[in-house]
């Protein structure tokens, strides 16, 4: 199930104003500009790939997202990019990309083990020889959710200049490795506040490595912040993983988790 903040067209239009360009975007843009072909999983509004095109990238850029409302924003802003609605249960590529990325902590939206496995296997299958899969997740040891409190209000204006206020209210503790929170939007554009309830999964490095190994992926580099600092020993804010296929001849990436009714795609939807 796609969170309401991403499937609601009105809220999706506010995403980039609520989440301005930052160091993480710079980190990924550098990687994208150095790759000939790129797949952005959970691309959202497509900001990263749009920035790459504006910066002169002329190779293949493909963005995939399960939220149609987010892709509406992406297509409006840049039609000259391949935008695909879905995920690896509906689309499949074989060795098509030099780089696959999953940004904006989208990996944490994968709540079930099979969702994680399917995504990692799909990413592995999609990599060309020597390709890399790069993603990040918040380090659970840093307990970022403790700062997601209603007293920390984010204020900005929408496209019409109307003020919008957004705040978060997170459960104080994880339930297993999952954390649930509410995201509330308020302002003159609504009669009453709009409340979205979401759940994120916080996996530590050992758990991530276990899933990566199952998908025939191996960690090539790992960082704890966007400046490429170490992920240990102090609790770093991020677990940023650069992975490669553990064995290019391995058949593990091609394990059948792809339904017979699915199809390969090479055109935007």
């Amino acid at each position: 199930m796609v969170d309401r903040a991403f499937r609601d067209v009105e809220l999706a239009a506010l995403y980039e104003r609520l989440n301005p360009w930052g160091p993480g975007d710079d980190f990924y843009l550098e990687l994208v500009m150095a790759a000939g072909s790129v797949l952005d999983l959970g691309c959202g509004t497509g900001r990263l790939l749009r920035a790459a095109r504006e910066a002169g990238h002329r190779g293949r850029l493909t963005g995939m997202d399960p939220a149609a409302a987010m892709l509406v924003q992406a297509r409006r802003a840049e039609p000259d990019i391949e935008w695909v609605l879905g995920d690896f249960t509906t689309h499949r590529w074989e060795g098509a990309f030099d780089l696959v990325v999953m940004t904006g902590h989208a990996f944490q939206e994968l709540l079930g083990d099979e969702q994680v496995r399917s995504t990692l296997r799909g990413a592995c299958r999609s990599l060309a020889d020597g390709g890399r899969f790069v993603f990040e997740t918040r380090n659970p040891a840093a307990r970022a959710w403790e700062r997601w409190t209603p007293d920390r209000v984010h204020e900005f204006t929408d496209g019409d200049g109307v003020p919008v206020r957004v705040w978060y209210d997170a459960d104080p503790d994880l339930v297993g490795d999952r954390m649930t929170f509410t995201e509330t939007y308020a302002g003159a554009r609504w009669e009453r506040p709009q409340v979205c309830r979401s759940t994120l999964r916080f996996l530590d490095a050992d758990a991530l490595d276990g899933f990566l190994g199952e998908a025939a992926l191996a960690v090539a580099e790992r960082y704890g912040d966007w400046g490429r600092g170490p992920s240990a020993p102090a609790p770093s804010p991020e677990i940023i993983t650069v992975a490669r296929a553990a064995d290019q001849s391995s058949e593990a990436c091609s394990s059948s988790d792809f339904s017979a009714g699915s199809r390969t795609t090479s055109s935007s939807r």
Side-chain angles (χ1 to χ4, degrees):
M1 175 67 70
V2 175
D3 288 348
R4 183 191 172 193
F6 305 137
R7 69 175 187 268
D8 184 304
V9 172
E10 188 174 32
L11 297 182
L14 300 175
Y15 178 83
E16 292 186 21
R17 292 177 178 271
L18 177 60
N19 299 278
W21 187 277
D25 301 290
D26 290 329
F27 175 91
Y28 281 108
L29 182 59
E30 180 180 344
L31 297 176
V32 172
M33 294 303 295
S37 53
V38 182
L39 173 62
D40 184 358
L41 304 178
C43 65
T45 60
R47 176 171 61 187
L48 175 64
L49 298 186
R50 285 162 31 214
R53 190 67 90 206
E54 291 169 4
H57 195 292
R58 292 295 172 259
R60 181 181 183 184
L61 297 177
T62 301
M64 181 166 67
D65 200 284
M70 298 293 270
L71 290 183
V72 166
Q73 312 303 318
R75 291 192 179 106
R76 283 175 178 171
E78 179 51 83
D80 185 32
I81 289 177
E82 184 180 7
W83 304 115
V84 179
L85 177 63
D87 55 29
F88 281 133
T89 66
T90 57
H91 297 81
R92 175 171 178 160
W93 291 272
E94 298 285 352
F97 299 98
D98 302 315
L99 176 69
V100 177
V101 299
M102 197 169 190
T103 75
H105 302 106
F107 190 86
Q108 293 186 252
E109 300 279 342
L110 306 174
L111 301 182
D113 287 358
E114 286 310 309
Q115 282 182 295
V116 173
R117 293 186 180 109
S118 175
T119 298
L120 293 177
R121 288 172 181 157
C124 186
R125 281 194 302 262
S126 300
L127 292 175
D129 288 352
R132 295 178 293 174
F133 173 44
V134 187
F135 67 99
E136 90 287 335
T137 180
R138 297 177 184 87
N139 186 351
R143 301 182 65 85
W145 63 87
E146 292 182 343
R147 298 184 292 278
W148 300 353
T149 54
D151 59 301
R152 299 190 177 203
V153 179
H154 303 267
E155 298 185 10
F156 58 94
T157 57
D158 64 16
D160 298 321
V162 178
V164 176
R165 293 177 294 114
V166 179
W167 62 90
Y168 303 92
D169 192 359
D171 291 347
D173 293 300
L174 297 181
V175 178
D177 55 19
R178 294 165 177 80
M179 186 277 301
T180 299
F181 67 100
T182 58
E183 180 179 27
T184 302
Y185 294 74
R189 62 187 297 151
W190 301 286
E191 291 184 2
R192 60 181 63 86
Q194 304 296 297
V195 180
C196 307
R197 188 171 180 83
S198 303
T199 300
L200 298 176
R201 190 174 188 183
F202 285 76
L203 294 172
D204 62 21
D206 289 342
L208 288 171
D209 290 349
F211 282 117
L212 287 165
E214 289 182 29
L217 289 165
V219 176
E221 302 166 54
R222 177 160 280 155
Y223 307 112
D225 57 49
W226 299 117
R228 292 178 169 81
S231 57
S236 60
E238 307 284 348
I239 303 174
I240 304 165
T241 300
V242 180
R244 296 183 184 272
D247 181 356
Q248 291 291 350
S249 64
S250 173
E251 296 180 357
C253 285
S254 299
S255 297
S256 179
D257 58 355
F258 195 76
S259 66
S262 303
R263 66 179 185 277
T264 302
T265 182
S266 59
S267 60
S268 59
R269 295 178 55 188

